């Protein structure tokens, strides 16, 4: 059976892996080269270099005020870089005004024209292209259909709900068939359910049209869901650029590990390299602890370096009895339990008073739980789940 | 905020309106007075309107005033809107404080000084005084009011709308005319009406800057009243008030219609 499965996988059904960023020679559609933006003395974007490839769904993620919008606005042409260059398809676009760039933007506030109907809003950009009325109408209808707003063509923006406005803004930005679509927190105003639904709509539209999308968000879950790659920003710097899985599993710094998802960080010192079940691991000496742990170190950390061990709560197994063979083991008491319906997060207090979080799926009903407050518990994880982060 | 009816609200409303409109109402009523004495009621008559229609001097003054007000309002609206635009949009440029100060100064400048300085300017440049000098003089102070009205609207105007227009292929000028102007139109129209009224009732600046053959209505009325108030003046004022009221109502109705019908 495995043989059969193997042959069929190599056949035509195998989906093409989309990873143009792995190809060093591929020409990116957008390239930032050492771009810096200063507002007076304040540096909003600090020497950012980044390549975005055609057909990508690229997410810019980061805490508030880290420079995401500024980076996007420079690409759209509303701000000029203080230093560095922005290239679109290999051409420096610093001298090109916003109205001449093959880029359209969907604004955070949607920026729909209040004096125009939905149809006129969508057709606005088409009319600037000196297209005939019938062509404008045809394209407008096409876009209305794409975002399922045919029924609302004659309404004014103020007669629409938030979600409907957002779809009109999307249709308007897509109408001119831009090579690159910029979206600045497009789903910020939507409730959780509509947000999720719209994320999938966005992904479908992007796949259908093959446009390059660059989306700004400070919702990490949204970025993980929609993006082919994520650029995580901090204080105007790009902290890490990687696929969602990579940025989650292999964060390159304490900031990244902490920003994306939940993480336990233990301070300590790196030790010698070792082998565990045929895998290369590094021994880690936590500060003030007697036990050592094993962890991965993708960067090949030097022995004696001060570093942090990062391990995600859902990778930690919690049990009331001591597990038999565990390389990484901690002992403590349950301090608190955060119940979130499908998951429970156990806050476990160790002997030294520090708290480690462990997460378990609630497969059983609440009443049947075998761990409760103040129970002595054991925490364990596989060495491959922990990662050492240089400071 | 509650919208309940209270006696306090009703009283203050009534008091306010009476204070504003009672004198005007009295004037209108006395324009239909039979008697030549302005303060004695002697029965209903429209004879003063007939008298007025035969008063050539009065009619030509009215015509001059209307032309001056119309030209002033149009010029002041264009210049005032441009000034407001520059002040609000190009936030920080060299000499901005000076520029904005200079725009708002005529608002608080005594009219006598504005009038006198303009008069001196016209004399120095040996410009013959007449209808156009009054238009220029009125435009200089009316545009400040327009700038104030329009800039207060522009301040709350969402700049991302303009950016969206640029993004969708507009040149900056195109963006202004197809997005900004339609949205701020109500305040531009309000500015025009304000300038029109300011010009209509100005006496001081007009008397400094006018010349022979360009007597405006306020000047005419003022000189006529000095010889004694005649019911004819009341009739004329009634007509003017009616005209202005009709104009304001028509403008607001048009504006509403235009908003609801406009669909691109
Ligand atoms: N026009 C401006 N003048 C001065 N400072 C500015 C200007 N625009 C942005 N900044 C500053 O630059 C920094 C980055 O702003 P930016 O809008 O890019 O943040 P952001 O990452 O989009 O944040 P958010 O998630 O809150 O939208 C902020 O500290 C902001 O105060
Ligand atoms: Mg932002």
């Amino acid at each position: 059976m495995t043989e059969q499965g193997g042959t069929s996988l190599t056949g035509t059904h195998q989906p093409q892996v989309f990873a143009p960023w792995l190809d060093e020679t591929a020409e990116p559609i957008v390239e930032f080269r050492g771009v810096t933006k200063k507002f007076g003395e304040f540096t909003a974007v600090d020497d950012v270099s980044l390549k975005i490839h055609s057909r990508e769904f690229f997410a810019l993620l980061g805490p508030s005020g880290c420079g995401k919008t500024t980076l996007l606005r420079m690409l759209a042409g509303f701000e000029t870089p203080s230093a560095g260059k922005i290239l679109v398809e290999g051409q420096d676009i610093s001298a090109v005004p916003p109205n001449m760039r093959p880029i359209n933007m969907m604004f955070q506030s949607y920026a729909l024209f209040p004096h125009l109907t939905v149809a006129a809003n969508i057709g606005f950009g088409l009319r600037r292209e000196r297209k005939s009325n019938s062509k404008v109408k045809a394209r407008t209808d096409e876009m209305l259909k794409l975002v399922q707003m045919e029924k609302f063509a004659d309404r004014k923006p103020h007669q629409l709900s938030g979600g409907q406005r957002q779809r009109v803004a999307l249709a308007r930005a897509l109408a001119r068939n831009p090579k690159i679509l910029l979206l600045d927190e497009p789903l910020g105003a939507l409730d959780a359910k509509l947000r999720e639904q719209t994320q999938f709509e966005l992904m479908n539209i992007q796949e259908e049209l093959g446009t390059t999308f660059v989306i700004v968000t400070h919702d990490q879950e949204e970025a993980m869901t929609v993006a082919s790659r994520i650029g995580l920003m901090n204080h105007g710097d790009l902290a890490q650029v990687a696929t969602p899985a990579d940025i989650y599993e292999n964060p390159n710094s304490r900031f990244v590990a902490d920003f994306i998802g939940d993480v336990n960080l233990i301070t300590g010192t790196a030790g010698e390299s070792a082998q565990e079940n045929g895998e290369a691991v590094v021994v880690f000496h936590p500060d003030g602890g007697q036990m050592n742990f094993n962890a991965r170190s993708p960067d090949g950390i030097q022995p004696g370096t001060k570093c942090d061990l990062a391990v995600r709560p859902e990778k930690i197994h919690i049990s009331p009895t001591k597990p038999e063979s565990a390389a990484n083991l901690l002992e403590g008491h349950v301090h608190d339990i955060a119940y979130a319906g499908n998951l429970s997060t156990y806050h476990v207090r160790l002997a030294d008073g520090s708290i480690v979080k462990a997460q378990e799926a609630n497969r059983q009903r609440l009443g049947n739980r075998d761990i409760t407050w103040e129970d002595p518990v054991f925490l364990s994880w596989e060495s491959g789940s922990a990662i050492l982060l240089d400071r | 905020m509650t919208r309940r009816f209270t006696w306090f609200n009703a009283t203050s409303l009534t008091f306010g309106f009476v204070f504003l409109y009672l004198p005007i109402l009295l004037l209108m009523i006395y324009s239909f007075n039979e008697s030549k004495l302005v303060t004695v009621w002697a029965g209903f008559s429209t004879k003063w309107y007939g008298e007025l229609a035969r008063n050539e001097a009065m009619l030509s003054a009215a015509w001059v005033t209307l032309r001056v007000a119309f030209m002033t309002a149009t010029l002041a609206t264009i210049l005032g809107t441009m000034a407001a635009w520059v002040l609000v949009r190009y936030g920080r440029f060299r000499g901005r404080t000076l520029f904005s100060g200079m725009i708002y100064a005529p608002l608080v400048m005594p009219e006598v000084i504005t009038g006198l300085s303009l008069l001196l300017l016209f004399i120095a440049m040996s410009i013959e005084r007449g209808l156009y000098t009054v238009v220029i003089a009125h435009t200089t102070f009316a545009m400040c009011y327009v700038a104030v009205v329009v800039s207060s609207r522009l301040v709350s105007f969402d700049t991302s709308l303009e950016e969206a227009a640029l993004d969708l292929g507009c040149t900056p000028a195109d963006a202004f005319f197809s997005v900004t102007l339609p949205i701020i139109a109500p305040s531009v129209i309000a500015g025009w009406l304000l300038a029109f009224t300011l010009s209509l009732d100005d006496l001081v600046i007009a008397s400094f800057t006018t010349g022979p053959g360009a007597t405006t209505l306020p000047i005419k009325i003022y000189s006529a009243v000095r010889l004694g108030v005649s019911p004819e003046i009341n009739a004329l004022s009634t007509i003017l008030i009616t005209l202005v009221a009709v104009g304001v109502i028509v403008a607001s109705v048009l504006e509403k219609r235009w908003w609801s019908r406009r669909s691109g």
Side-chain angles (χ1 to χ4, degrees):
Chain A
M1 198 204 136
T2 44
E3 276 304 315
Q4 265 179 340
T7 46
S8 83
L9 266 180
T10 54
T12 51
H13 287 296
Q14 186 182 14
Q16 272 264 288
V17 180
F18 177 75
W21 50 86
L22 296 177
D23 181 1
E24 285 290 322
T25 60
E27 164 133 329
I29 189 163
V30 176
E31 185 177 355
F32 291 89
R33 271 197 205 153
V35 172
T36 297
K37 177 70 191 177
K38 287 188 177 170
F39 294 109
E41 288 294 290
F42 180 78
T43 309
V45 170
D46 193 5
D47 193 18
V48 164
S49 293
L50 171 67
K51 288 179 181 174
I52 298 172
H53 293 266
S54 186
R55 307 180 74 93
E56 253 201 278
F57 202 137
F58 193 92
L60 279 170
L61 182 64
S64 190
C66 67
K68 309 178 294 289
T69 299
T70 307
L71 200 63
L72 213 62
R73 287 172 59 80
M74 284 193 281
L75 185 50
F78 302 132
E79 307 277 3
T80 30
S82 314
K85 262 201 258 183
I86 302 175
L87 295 95
V88 171
E89 296 185 311
Q91 302 288 316
D92 187 353
I93 55 162
S94 47
V96 183
N99 52 320
M100 307 294 275
R101 297 189 181 190
I103 298 171
N104 280 127
M105 178 145 164
M106 183 177 160
F107 288 80
Q108 191 162 3
S109 57
Y110 306 150
L112 296 177
F113 305 129
H115 59 300
L116 301 179
T117 61
V118 166
N121 261 287
I122 296 175
F124 188 89
L126 301 169
R127 233 167 269 125
R128 310 296 131 182
E129 292 180 329
R130 309 198 182 290
K131 280 195 172 148
S132 70
N133 275 344
S134 59
K135 270 195 186 147
V136 169
K137 171 111 182 44
R139 180 71 178 154
T140 305
D141 288 345
E142 198 182 321
M143 296 321 295
L144 281 168
K145 199 160 163 229
L146 181 74
V147 296
Q148 298 163 17
M149 290 289 291
E150 299 106 313
K151 281 203 226 91
F152 303 95
D154 295 322
R155 293 226 193 148
K156 290 280 177 65
H158 69 90
Q159 297 165 315
L160 301 176
S161 75
Q164 291 165 340
R165 269 180 228 173
Q166 176 255 318
R167 279 186 276 168
V168 176
L170 180 64
R172 186 180 70 177
L174 283 169
R176 277 160 65 102
N177 205 2
K179 287 183 182 147
I180 304 156
L181 181 70
L182 311 178
L183 306 107
D184 193 356
E185 303 199 24
L187 313 182
L190 306 184
D191 66 60
K193 202 84 187 168
L194 196 55
R195 218 181 152 107
E196 197 178 321
Q197 190 187 330
T198 316
Q199 285 167 5
F200 283 106
E201 262 174 49
L202 271 185
M203 287 161 76
N204 285 337
I205 289 172
Q206 196 260 351
E207 227 156 88
E208 202 171 308
L209 302 179
T211 311
T212 308
F213 277 31
V214 182
I215 187 174
V216 161
T217 173
H218 52 224
D219 177 350
Q220 48 119 344
E221 238 173 88
E222 183 168 294
M224 303 285 277
T225 310
V226 298
S228 60
R229 277 193 308 160
I230 295 174
L232 181 55
M233 291 186 74
N234 189 25
H235 296 310
D237 268 328
L238 265 180
Q240 188 171 5
V241 180
T243 60
D246 224 17
I247 212 165
Y248 189 76
E249 298 292 346
N250 299 312
N252 67 1
S253 67
R254 208 185 145 108
F255 168 77
V256 176
D258 208 20
F259 192 86
I260 308 269
D262 211 353
V263 74
N264 293 299
L265 291 165
I266 303 168
T267 55
T269 318
E272 295 299 321
S273 302
Q275 287 285 319
E276 184 191 305
N277 307 332
E279 259 189 281
V281 292
V282 174
V283 180
F284 174 80
H285 311 285
D287 291 341
Q290 292 86 34
M291 266 196 80
N292 292 336
F293 303 126
N294 290 343
R296 279 184 304 134
S297 172
D299 306 335
I301 208 161
Q302 290 301 311
T305 319
K306 283 275 178 203
C307 63
D308 294 310
L309 180 133
V311 55
R312 305 263 180 213
E314 77 275 8
K315 304 261 164 71
I316 298 183
H317 181 61
I318 183 168
S319 72
T321 54
K322 188 168 179 168
E324 280 158 25
S325 61
N328 309 291
L329 192 68
L330 282 172
E331 219 178 316
H333 287 82
V334 177
H335 176 67
D336 213 347
I337 305 175
Y339 176 69
N342 55 343
L343 298 170
S344 286
T345 305
Y346 297 87
H347 295 236
V348 176
R349 195 177 46 226
L350 308 183
D352 64 358
S354 62
I355 299 278
V356 173
K357 284 183 270 186
Q359 207 170 51
E360 294 271 300
N362 291 324
R363 287 189 203 87
Q364 295 184 324
R365 280 195 306 120
L366 203 54
N368 301 349
R369 228 169 21 190
D370 53 359
I371 300 172
T372 182
W373 283 268
E374 294 308 327
D375 277 359
V377 287
F378 293 90
L379 302 174
S380 61
W381 63 90
E382 286 170 22
S383 303
S385 303
I387 187 164
L388 295 186
L389 301 173
D390 209 343
R391 248 177 289 163
Chain B
M1 200 176 82
T2 59
R3 286 161 186 258
R4 280 227 330 273
F5 175 88
T6 65
W7 284 110
F8 177 72
N9 287 354
T11 317
S12 39
L13 201 68
T14 315
F15 194 75
F17 272 110
V18 165
F19 196 73
L20 273 175
Y21 290 108
L22 187 64
I24 294 178
L25 196 67
L26 277 180
L27 181 147
M28 289 173 90
I29 290 169
Y30 275 108
S31 76
F32 294 104
N33 193 356
E34 171 73 47
S35 162
K36 188 159 178 64
L37 295 170
V38 188
T39 46
V40 181
W41 182 254
F44 181 85
S45 155
T46 53
K47 76 172 190 194
W48 298 115
Y49 288 87
E51 288 278 313
L52 183 65
R54 285 185 292 278
N55 188 340
E56 285 287 331
M58 213 46 112
L59 287 182
S60 84
W63 179 233
V64 166
T65 300
L66 284 179
R67 280 195 297 165
V68 166
F70 186 84
M71 286 189 271
T72 298
T74 308
L75 265 175
T77 302
I78 295 170
L79 293 176
T81 304
M82 277 161 55
W85 170 263
V86 172
L87 275 180
V88 175
R89 274 298 168 275
Y90 300 95
R92 270 178 253 128
F93 58 88
R94 244 163 210 280
R96 178 183 189 273
T97 323
L98 189 68
F99 184 69
S100 65
M102 274 162 54
I103 280 200
Y104 296 140
L107 290 181
V108 291
M109 189 89 77
E111 286 187 331
V112 181
I113 293 178
T114 312
L116 185 61
S117 56
L118 280 162
L119 173 65
L120 292 177
L121 177 77
F122 293 142
I123 291 172
M125 292 174 72
S126 55
I127 296 173
E128 198 180 324
R129 274 166 294 144
L131 188 126
Y132 295 104
T133 46
V134 181
V135 171
I136 292 170
H138 279 182
T139 303
T140 52
F141 82 94
M143 68 168 275
C144 310
Y145 289 87
V146 177
V148 171
V149 171
V150 173
S151 67
S152 71
R153 175 68 186 89
L154 274 176
V155 165
S156 64
F157 185 90
D158 182 4
T159 42
S160 65
L161 289 177
E162 275 162 23
E163 287 176 346
L166 292 180
D167 189 63
L168 292 166
C170 287
T171 60
D174 196 3
F176 179 79
F177 285 109
S178 58
V179 172
T180 315
L181 196 55
I183 295 172
I184 64 165
S187 66
V188 174
I189 292 171
W192 191 92
L193 286 171
L194 185 62
F196 189 86
T197 357
L198 284 170
S199 165
L200 207 61
D201 71 10
D202 169 71
L203 171 66
V204 179
I205 294 176
S207 40
F208 272 106
T209 54
T210 191
T215 310
T216 65
L217 205 51
I219 299 177
K220 187 80 198 162
I221 293 175
Y222 185 68
S223 52
V225 166
R226 282 200 301 187
L227 304 175
V229 186
S230 94
E232 219 179 326
I233 304 281
N234 285 1
L236 178 63
S237 309
T238 306
I239 293 173
L240 271 183
I241 290 164
T242 315
L243 271 181
V244 169
V246 168
V248 169
I249 291 167
V250 167
S252 65
V253 167
L254 279 183
E255 190 194 314
K256 274 225 181 72
R257 281 249 190 95
W258 181 61
W259 270 102
S260 54
R261 214 186 316 133
R262 198 179 150 102
S263 56

